[in-house]
């Protein structure tokens, strides 16, 4: 994400509205605001997972842009993938 600028959406004709939620795992919340996943968040939802001790200011800015930010535990800068999956399961469950 820092070295390229992927759109992470469905670009098949007539399928843009069926793009899944984009997930970005970024422990330090360094996601550049000029990236496609932030710039087009109103068209295709973007969820960003960061470490609990990541920047609160970066979280606020990402939320203001329309991203949904989740905080999970990390070990040596690597996010706890089990916790990420648990959050995703909670978000997917009805009610």
């Amino acid at each position: 994400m820092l070295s390229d600028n992927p759109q992470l959406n469905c670009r098949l004709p007539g399928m843009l509205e069926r793009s899944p939620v984009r997930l970005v795992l970024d422990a330090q919340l360094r996601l550049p605001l000029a990236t496609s996943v932030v710039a087009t968040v109103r068209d295709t939802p973007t969820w960003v997972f960061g470490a609990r001790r990541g920047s609160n200011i970066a979280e606020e800015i990402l939320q203001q842009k329309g991203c949904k930010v989740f905080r999970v535990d990390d070990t040596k800068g690597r996010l706890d993938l089990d916790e990420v999956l648990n959050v995703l399961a909670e978000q997917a469950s009805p009610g």
Side-chain angles (χ1 to χ4, degrees):
M1 197 62 64
L2 296 176
S3 62
D4 63 1
N5 189 13
Q7 294 180 26
L8 301 180
N9 63 2
C10 183
R11 290 180 293 284
L12 295 172
M15 298 296 288
L16 180 62
E17 67 278 352
R18 301 206 41 132
S19 292
V21 172
R22 299 176 288 198
L23 302 177
V24 177
L25 278 62
D26 181 5
Q28 298 176 20
L29 297 179
R30 299 180 302 162
L31 179 63
L33 299 178
T35 59
S36 292
V37 294
V38 175
T40 60
V41 71
R42 302 284 184 226
D43 300 322
T44 306
T46 301
W47 295 358
V48 181
F49 286 83
R52 293 194 193 283
R53 61 179 165 221
S55 168
N56 289 330
I57 293 171
E59 177 180 4
E60 286 180 33
I61 293 169
L62 287 168
Q63 288 175 336
Q64 288 172 0
K65 294 289 184 180
C67 296
K68 193 167 186 178
V69 179
F70 300 92
R71 299 300 191 111
V72 296
D73 292 329
D74 73 296
T75 303
K76 296 181 183 176
R78 295 185 182 266
L79 298 178
D80 181 335
L81 295 183
D82 286 334
E83 193 173 351
V84 169
L85 291 174
N86 286 333
V87 170
L88 291 173
E90 289 172 8
Q91 293 298 307
S93 66

